[in-house]
Amino acid sequence: MTADSAPSDRAVVILGSGWAAESIGRVVAPEWDVRRAELPPDAGTTPLESVYGCLAAPGAPTRVVLLGHGEFGAAALEFADAHPERVVGVVALDRDPAAGADVELVCPVLVLRSADPLVLSAIGAFVAGLEMAPEPLPTLSPVRLNDAEVVRRLREAGPVHEVDGLGDRPVWVLTGHRSTTAVLDDPGLVGGPELVPRFRRPQGRLAALHRGEKDLVTVEADEHRRLRRIVSDHLTERFVDLLRPRMRRAAERLLDRLPVRERVDLVDSFARPFPVAVLCDVVGVPESDRAYVEDWLLRRVPTEPDDPHDDVDRYLLGLVEAGRRAPGEDFIGAVLRAEGPATAARDVVEAVRFLLLSGLRGPTTMLAGGVAALLGERAHWERAAADPSSLGTVIDELLRFLTPFPLGTVRTAHAPVTVGDTRIPQGCPVAASLVAANRDPDVFTDPDVFDPWREHNPHRAFGGGHHSCLGSHLARVQLAVALETLLRRHPRTALADGPDSLRHRSGSVRYLLELPVVLDPAVPGPRGRRSHEPPRRP
């Protein structure tokens, strides 16, 4: 593909050696743009890195069928696993059977031998099948629940649907703002298993609930209720508001480390470490131990280790015992003071672990996605920088538009629930499509438009009812502090590349893989000189 290729929303991209574009073009419908990606051998570049470079280039198609030959077939499978939002299907020619064998993709996959005399016709039939009517709506995946167009079709078809693909049995999914609000407030719904970032390996049935989400784990309903009670009693709005100065100091320290006139990845350097620093302040982790906690949350948790991280439990137990001797002004101290000396240390450790693991992914997603959304329309960023008092309204719209968790907590109907003309039987799992609720045109004007100063914004990003997000106030406050600090210190921040170059990963959460920016780009000065002073205003 060349840099001046026009972007296409449907293309077959040929990777590596093998078939010529003309040969493939003869067997697929003319609506498909067939391209060969020029991937010359490079000892310093892996096939997967070459695929990333190809599909991140200007003019790269937005939705693709990847046709990979040899090792590029395995690379195509890996790319499709990481970016299901970009890949419609994969054709792997002459692939090593062991390469990519553990990859389970959302999209269709065709594996062929190039020596097969019918290989071209098989490729043509495979691509033609992808052109057929969309997959029936009753089959969903977490990836598709991030797709505003999919949930729009669901919402227009009715307020609730029984669907497959979200767990080990069908789930009733609410697909409108009105139905979500009414049903989530129904006391007949009780919490079921809950997904939180990984700490212990899931087993059996629970493992099937989040296959492919390697950094998630399921907490059973009874344990989840117990942990929620401890967290909700002590993570109060007053407690969170008292942390604002510490949050601001953490944001300042992180920004102090960053270069201002060169490219920097704001995900790795700010959006990920900032929520960790906030959580350390919440829990009361000493400054000397924060590197250990940060390494655990950012490096160890996203992997799939054989050990259960017993050292972290021992560390947290040490914090609890130290807090018992001298309670601090932190979450552990608040729990110990309120619950009394009879409080089991193990209960406090589990509540702290739950808080640490649940409090990272959402704020990281919102901070990176929020900065990207504001920078995507320069006027939005400049207006927010000029009027920090508007950040509350801006954050509400970011939460609505981005909706970091597309599906709310799965609950169980302990009695039949009626939604419109549909009756959900007793004992069935029920969940809300928060994306559908937040894009409902009956409630939001131009719901697919990002309007940071939207006046009427009853979004459902935090769910609702008796299982709304416990950390909603903490999430809002730290997002406000981080954005205010960044806007104040670096009002000229700009994307290093265009908005179309940003890459996301979609699953239970849709999040940015990286956010390259320049915090203080040079601006033209008088007489052609470069200046770093802000432009004068009349």
Side-chain angles (χ1 to χ4, degrees), residues 9 28 45 117 162 238 269 273 302-303 320 337 347 389 409 495 501 525:
D9 62 355
V28 301
T45 304
E162 187 178 22
R238 180 178 180 278
S269 61
T303 65
V320 173
R337 277 191 296 269
D347 287 346
S389 65
T409 302
L495 294 173
S501 68

Side-chain angles (χ1 to χ4, degrees), residues 263-455:
R263 183 188 186 97
V264 62
D265 177 11
L266 218 59
V267 170
D268 276 345
S269 61
F270 192 57
R272 296 180 76 206
F274 177 69
V276 174
V278 170
L279 289 169
C280 286
D281 280 328
V282 168
V283 171
V285 176
E287 288 285 346
S288 58
D289 297 344
R290 294 193 175 194
Y292 169 77
V293 174
E294 180 173 314
D295 178 71
W296 171 57
L297 286 171
L298 297 185
R299 184 184 64 81
R300 295 175 61 190
V301 169
T303 65
E304 194 169 8
D306 292 329
D307 70 273
H309 296 176
D310 288 340
D311 63 301
V312 178
D313 259 359
R314 290 192 296 271
Y315 173 76
L316 296 179
L317 182 60
L319 288 184
V320 173
E321 295 301 340
R324 199 184 294 279
R325 293 189 296 271
E329 297 300 321
D330 49 52
F331 177 79
I332 292 176
V335 173
L336 294 172
R337 277 191 296 269
E339 303 283 334
T343 307
R346 179 57 54 186
D347 287 346
V348 185
V349 167
E350 291 182 357
V352 170
R353 182 206 303 140
F354 177 73
L355 179 59
L356 289 171
L357 292 168
S358 301
L360 180 61
R361 181 180 266 206
T364 294
T365 299
M366 283 304 305
L367 180 50
V371 171
L374 288 169
L375 289 176
E377 182 64 51
R378 189 70 207 173
H380 292 339
W381 180 266
E382 292 176 352
R383 182 173 173 182
D387 183 13
S389 65
S390 69
L391 277 180
T393 302
V394 171
I395 287 170
D396 274 328
E397 177 65 354
L398 288 171
L399 288 163
R400 183 199 72 84
F401 189 75
L402 298 177
T403 312
F405 294 91
L407 190 71
T409 302
V410 178
R411 312 175 194 190
T412 301
H414 268 204
V417 178
T418 299
V419 182
D421 297 329
T422 302
R423 186 176 175 84
I424 301 174
Q426 178 180 350
C428 289
V430 181
S433 168
L434 303 180
V435 173
N438 285 342
R439 299 290 183 102
D440 192 334
D442 291 339
V443 177
F444 303 99
T445 303
D446 297 325
D448 295 326
V449 173
F450 174 55
D451 177 6
W453 290 271
R454 187 182 295 273
E455 294 183 359

Side-chain angles (χ1 to χ4, degrees), residues 489-513:
R489 291 191 50 164
H490 301 291
R492 288 205 303 265
T493 298
L495 294 173
D497 307 304
D500 293 340
S501 68
L502 299 178
R503 297 185 294 134
H504 294 81
R505 171 71 189 267
S506 288
S508 296
V509 182
R510 183 175 187 267
Y511 56 92
L512 277 169
L513 295 173

Side-chain angles (χ1 to χ4, degrees), residues 124-191:
F126 176 77
V127 175
L130 300 175
E131 292 187 283
M132 296 169 63
E135 185 178 316
L137 284 174
T139 301
L140 287 178
S141 67
V143 172
R144 298 191 71 193
L145 283 169
N146 284 287
D147 190 326
E149 176 61 20
V150 169
V151 297
R152 180 191 65 79
R153 292 170 54 212
L154 275 171
R155 186 180 56 246
E156 291 177 353
V160 63
H161 304 272
E162 187 178 22
V163 303
D164 288 320
L166 299 178
D168 59 344
R169 59 176 174 150
V171 176
W172 289 88
V173 175
L174 307 166
T175 53
H177 192 280
R178 186 176 293 107
S179 62
T180 292
T181 300
V183 175
L184 293 189
D185 288 337
D186 191 321
L189 290 183
V190 299

